[in-house]
Amino acid sequence: MKSEEILLFTPREVQRLLTLDECIAAVEKAFGLYGEGKAAPPGVLSMHSPGGGFHIKAGLLDLQRPYFAAKINGNFPENSVRFGLPTIQGVIVLCDADNGTPLAVMDSRDITSLRTAAATAVAAKYLAQPDSRSATVCGCGTQGRVQLKALSRIRQLETVFAFDKSADQAQRFAHELAADLEISVTPVGDLAAAVRKSDICVTCTTSQQPLLSLGDVGPGTFIAAVGADNPQKQELHPALMAQNKIVVDILEQCAAMGDLHHALESGQVTRADVHAELGEVVAGKKAGRESQEEIIIFDSTGMALQDVAAAAILYEKAERMGSGVRLNFAA
Amino acid sequence: MKSEEILLFTPREVQRLLTLDECIAAVEKAFGLYGEGKAAPPGVLSMHSPGGGFHIKAGLLDLQRPYFAAKINGNFPENSVRFGLPTIQGVIVLCDADNGTPLAVMDSRDITSLRTAAATAVAAKYLAQPDSRSATVCGCGTQGRVQLKALSRIRQLETVFAFDKSADQAQRFAHELAADLEISVTPVGDLAAAVRKSDICVTCTTSQQPLLSLGDVGPGTFIAAVGADNPQKQELHPALMAQNKIVVDILEQCAAMGDLHHALESGQVTRADVHAELGEVVAGKKAGRESQEEIIIFDSTGMALQDVAAAAILYEKAERMGSGVRLNFAA
């Protein structure tokens, strides 16, 4: 691309171009580089607004070439009721990290969904039992759908249980995903019973109270706790975390706003109890799963490097395919 | 505009739409709201990259409607030599602060220039002698040009001296601006002599040593120190600051990277010696110029709220005129 052009991706173009497999590979690469110490810790800037707030996540990643990306997301929980708008809206700005040139601007929504699900898939690759066949999805919204699709790229799932506080949602989810993935997806009303029968469990809700506690999870289970992205949200009981192996995406961020935050506050877990950051596992610096029996919890709060990786592969693919809207940015 | 559209402004469109007068009015409004306590302190996030870095400045401003903007700028000092590219490149993302919807993405370069010059003009309005007729511009690059144009909207300048470490640059500047503004602009080799004959002096260089000291400035002068935007840069001698009234754009930012930073480090100035933030003067909470004789120094490091204000008026004007490139952002 000429340096005086900028490339734009609408939501539809992002959906068309970014595949889960590519996103999983890119996110694994990002975690690996971070784990090897080859990527600086990403930056976060938050500003509150009446009714919501804006969150900027930025990071640098040296792929085939060095990239910088900043994601600017508005998060307004009342949007659906007040305006008929999505809670989270935003854009990602991708730049050449060699010279600062802006390369592309793209809608952030699907990239956020896909890169979040991709992190779960990468975590499952290293932390779930290789022969995992069953999973429970707790939280049957948009993110739950992408999470299950991503997991099914990594493990040969045969049986899935769908739980949601809205039975209707769970029903719709089961119907839709069973057809899409051609596997058994059953809506359930008893979360703990489903989890006890599952090799994998993903929680992706907006819950502010624990949904799963110590007795609810059987040996060998891999749990990805994805919902908590602010200090109020919580999905796992501190006791469940205290008794099992904890892997986080970024320690400090999880300590501030993940399920780890509540576990630390309860006094039942210390930072030293955290086994690893996922990047250290991907890079081979720390062990992943070490036995068939252990329960492993992945606390996922979302890392800017996932956005950089996803934005970069989207951009590179669009360059190869001649996609996206090109805008003359010559001064 | 429909909520599922985003508006894009190329550098040329920004140049065409944003006028100095509108920008000065918008920036005065931004400083005023900040001074009245009606705008939260803006946020800054910086990340280093080999050869440069990225700086994000973000702020919220409640104008006719509430806006949020984040400016993502790359700053790569070797760009001109290495790539034939500008040192600073970037974009501004403007959002509706009521619901987070991204409204517009625009090139940041001219907005940064204009809003920086506009801050100097606003400062001059409150801090320079009303009958100022003469000015010295120290640093005859792009920013110097815009600075002089902005000052000439606020004060009836008749005599301007142009100083640059490159005499050629000063010569070209004088030639060009004299024709443009239809006033006398003379290149000079003795900065101090020129400043002593001037009511106003703007320094906008990349200097890392003081260019002006105590004896170089006559009574009644207004000095705007615009160049320092990182802790290494410096244009004014601490003694000059210690003996005179200091007004800053944002106290903490100036203390970290403005000329104030060096004055504080020298021990000759304390934070308590700073007379006011410009917003407090605009809001009428602190006095501006209080005598004909006093020398007043404005330390300008650049505030995100200037970007928000400039981006917002650009956007509103484009909406009225039907300008900009519209992109369908429906999910």
Side-chain angles (χ1 to χ4, degrees), chain A residues 132-135 155-160 182-185:
Chain A
S132 297
R133 293 284 179 269
S134 54
R155 289 293 183 266
Q156 294 288 325
L157 298 178
E158 293 166 358
T159 310
V160 173
E182 299 181 348
I183 55 176
S184 156
V185 185

Side-chain angles (χ1 to χ4, degrees), chain A residues 1 7-9 13-14 16-18 22 94 103-104 106 310-326:
Chain A
M1 189 166 80
L7 210 46
L8 305 159
F9 302 106
E13 197 72 344
V14 172
R16 197 174 70 83
L17 286 169
L18 194 62
E22 289 165 326
L94 180 73
L103 299 171
M106 57 197 80
I313 55 155
L314 177 66
Y315 169 76
E316 290 184 355
K317 187 173 184 181
E319 277 284 87
R320 287 195 303 273
M321 295 171 60
S323 310
V325 175
R326 270 150 215 279

Side-chain angles (χ1 to χ4, degrees), chain A residues 19 28 92 96 101 112 182 186 189 198 219 224 236 243 261 295 322:
Chain A
T19 68
E28 181 171 4
I92 295 176
D96 185 322
T101 304
T112 301
E182 299 181 348
T186 313
S198 298
L236 306 184
Q243 296 294 319
H261 161 71
I295 295 172

Side-chain angles (χ1 to χ4, degrees), chain A residues 8 10-11 41 47-49 54 58 60 68 72 76 79 85 89 95-101 107 109 328-330, chain B residues 8 10-11 41 47-49 54 58 60 68 72 76 79 85 89 95-101 107 109 327-330:
Chain A
L8 305 159
T10 64
M47 299 198 72
H48 293 285
S49 179
F54 290 89
L60 283 151
F68 168 87
I72 297 111
F76 289 76
N79 262 4
L85 288 171
Q89 300 173 91
C95 300
D96 185 322
D98 240 359
N99 54 34
T101 304
D107 186 71
R109 284 168 283 181
N328 187 334
F329 240 53
Chain B
L8 305 158
T10 64
M47 299 199 71
H48 294 285
S49 178
F54 290 89
L60 282 152
F68 168 86
I72 296 112
F76 288 76
N79 262 4
L85 288 170
Q89 301 173 90
C95 301
D96 185 322
D98 241 359
N99 53 33
T101 304
D107 186 72
R109 285 167 282 182
L327 201 63
N328 187 335
F329 240 53

Side-chain angles (χ1 to χ4, degrees), chain B residues 70-114:
Chain B
K71 181 166 76 175
I72 296 112
N73 266 4
N75 187 331
F76 288 76
E78 306 297 318
N79 262 4
S80 163
V81 174
R82 287 183 62 200
F83 306 107
L85 288 170
T87 298
I88 294 175
Q89 301 173 90
V91 297
I92 296 176
V93 176
L94 181 73
C95 301
D96 185 322
D98 241 359
N99 53 33
T101 304
L103 300 171
V105 177
M106 57 197 81
D107 186 72
S108 70
R109 285 167 282 182
D110 280 285
I111 293 175
T112 301
S113 292
L114 262 68

Side-chain angles (χ1 to χ4, degrees), chain B residues 66-331:
Chain B
Y67 289 104
F68 168 86
K71 181 166 76 175
I72 296 112
N73 266 4
N75 187 331
F76 288 76
E78 306 297 318
N79 262 4
S80 163
V81 174
R82 287 183 62 200
F83 306 107
L85 288 170
T87 298
I88 294 175
Q89 301 173 90
V91 297
I92 296 176
V93 176
L94 181 73
C95 301
D96 185 322
D98 241 359
N99 53 33
T101 304
L103 300 171
V105 177
M106 57 197 81
D107 186 72
S108 70
R109 285 167 282 182
D110 280 285
I111 293 175
T112 301
S113 292
L114 262 68
R115 65 80 152 149
T116 304
T120 298
V122 172
K125 177 176 168 183
Y126 291 89
L127 304 174
Q129 298 192 70
D131 61 348
S132 296
R133 293 284 179 271
S134 54
T136 295
V137 176
C138 173
C140 295
T142 306
Q143 184 56 230
R145 284 165 166 75
V146 192
Q147 289 280 332
L148 182 55
K149 288 177 188 172
L151 277 172
S152 72
R153 312 301 303 177
I154 291 293
R155 289 294 183 265
Q156 293 289 324
L157 298 179
E158 292 166 359
T159 311
V160 172
F161 305 108
F163 176 87
D164 197 281
K165 64 182 177 184
S166 151
D168 270 9
Q169 285 259 49
Q171 184 79 49
R172 270 200 302 277
F173 177 96
H175 186 74
E176 195 183 309
L177 276 287
D180 195 338
L181 299 174
E182 299 181 347
I183 55 175
S184 157
V185 185
T186 314
V188 295
D190 183 340
L191 174 63
V195 174
R196 274 193 293 268
K197 288 185 282 183
S198 297
D199 301 313
I200 295 173
C201 172
V202 184
T203 59
C204 42
T205 71
T206 56
S207 175
Q208 301 200 354
Q209 288 95 37
L211 302 167
L212 290 176
S213 194
L214 202 50
D216 302 334
V217 182
T221 309
F222 166 67
I223 303 172
V226 174
D229 60 0
N230 73 40
Q232 285 71 51
K233 292 189 190 168
Q234 182 177 19
E235 298 182 303
L236 307 183
H237 197 285
L240 177 59
M241 300 194 72
Q243 296 292 318
N244 294 296
K245 186 187 266 189
I246 303 170
V247 175
V248 296
D249 54 4
I250 307 182
L251 180 58
E252 286 313 315
Q253 193 166 290
C254 289
M257 64 170 81
D259 272 283
L260 180 63
H261 161 70
H262 301 281
L264 292 172
E265 282 216 326
S266 77
Q268 295 178 63
V269 171
T270 69
R271 275 178 168 74
D273 294 328
V274 173
H275 169 69
E277 290 187 324
L278 180 58
E280 296 175 298
V281 176
V282 173
K285 287 187 174 176
K286 295 267 178 79
R289 175 165 288 275
E290 292 168 284
S291 80
Q292 283 212 324
E293 290 72 35
E294 64 182 347
I295 295 171
I296 306 183
I297 294 162
F298 174 53
D299 191 8
S300 174
T301 51
M303 181 164 76
L305 297 179
Q306 296 162 240
D307 298 310
V308 186
I313 55 156
L314 177 66
Y315 169 76
E316 291 184 353
K317 188 174 183 180
E319 276 285 86
R320 288 194 302 274
M321 294 171 62
S323 309
V325 174
R326 269 150 216 279
L327 201 63
N328 187 335
F329 240 53

